[in-house]
Amino acid sequence: DIVEEVVRIAGVDKVPLTPFDRGDAPRKPVLTTIQNRTRRARRALAARALAEAVTWSFVSKPEAELFGGGSAALMLANPIASDLGAMRPSILPNLIAALQRNADRGREDLALFEAGPDYQGDQPGDQRDIIAGARQIAPPRHWEKPGEADGVFIVKADALAALEAAGAPVSSLQATADAPSYFHPGRSGALRLGAKALAFF
């Protein structure tokens, strides 16, 4: 602050231009590979008309149990609210709740995504950084008006767009019908590269 005031009084035009010595070593990248992939996937989802949301990393215990969590190790000793007492095992309950709040206020065609952590256990390796998205697709109001494609294919296209932007070999992916149990049993799936599931839709 003192230097800034001295320069302001003396005059910026009197300060000589002196370049920094950058050395001979090549510059290191600022972002990691994961950060770059996440940034590209975020842009791809935004280009598909999904709005980015930022939600709490907490959910209620019943919601955590519905999405495969709710273990005692992930319950908070001093939650900020009674309905935010568990670390989230998935981002989906928060996105679904946000969609419902918007639908209650008349917005029926919203699409949201979030990039952030979910928690599978209380060990450092149990926290995953993932991207999750959710759409509320309003059905056509009249039988004569053509509707959009089935919702499952829209969200599958969202998942493929995010994976492609992140650098996954989408042409080598297989769609299988073994999504986690909290997905719809007949209208969901997984995108797999061999035995590894890269996305669920």
Side-chain angles (χ1 to χ4, degrees), residues 87-152:
M87 299 302 293
R88 66 182 180 193
S90 171
I91 297 177
L92 289 177
N94 295 357
L95 292 178
I96 293 168
L99 288 176
Q100 185 61 55
R101 282 192 301 275
N102 279 276
D104 292 344
R105 289 159 180 80
R107 181 75 191 264
E108 296 180 344
D109 59 348
L110 191 61
L112 300 174
F113 79 94
E114 180 176 358
D118 71 4
Y119 305 90
Q120 305 303 309
D122 62 346
Q123 299 302 310
D126 294 335
Q127 177 180 333
R128 305 179 303 177
D129 287 324
I130 63 169
I131 296 178
R135 285 184 178 269
Q136 182 166 350
I137 300 170
R141 299 236 181 231
H142 193 273
W143 65 272
E144 288 182 342
K145 295 181 181 175
E148 289 186 342
D150 193 3
V152 69

Side-chain angles (χ1 to χ4, degrees), residues 25-167:
R27 304 277 77 77
K28 292 182 180 177
V30 176
L31 299 176
T32 65
T33 303
I34 295 296
Q35 289 171 327
N36 278 322
R37 287 179 180 169
T38 302
R39 178 180 282 187
R40 289 193 303 265
R42 279 177 161 155
R43 287 183 181 170
L45 291 173
R48 292 188 52 81
L50 280 85
E52 186 167 8
V54 179
T55 64
W56 295 105
S57 289
F58 321 114
V59 294
S60 68
K61 184 173 183 179
E63 286 176 332
E65 290 170 345
L66 282 173
F67 286 83
S71 66
L74 293 177
M75 297 304 295
L76 300 175
N78 188 18
I80 60 173
S82 60
D83 60 341
L84 297 173
M87 299 302 293
R88 66 182 180 193
S90 171
I91 297 177
L92 289 177
N94 295 357
L95 292 178
I96 293 168
L99 288 176
Q100 185 61 55
R101 282 192 301 275
N102 279 276
D104 292 344
R105 289 159 180 80
R107 181 75 191 264
E108 296 180 344
D109 59 348
L110 191 61
L112 300 174
F113 79 94
E114 180 176 358
D118 71 4
Y119 305 90
Q120 305 303 309
D122 62 346
Q123 299 302 310
D126 294 335
Q127 177 180 333
R128 305 179 303 177
D129 287 324
I130 63 169
I131 296 178
R135 285 184 178 269
Q136 182 166 350
I137 300 170
R141 299 236 181 231
H142 193 273
W143 65 272
E144 288 182 342
K145 295 181 181 175
E148 289 186 342
D150 193 3
V152 69
F153 296 114
I154 295 171
V155 295
K156 179 182 177 187
D158 292 339
L160 285 169
L163 288 171
E164 184 175 20

Side-chain angles (χ1 to χ4, degrees), residues 15-27:
V15 178
L17 296 175
T18 308
F20 287 107
D21 180 19
R22 298 176 64 86
D24 296 330
R27 304 277 77 77

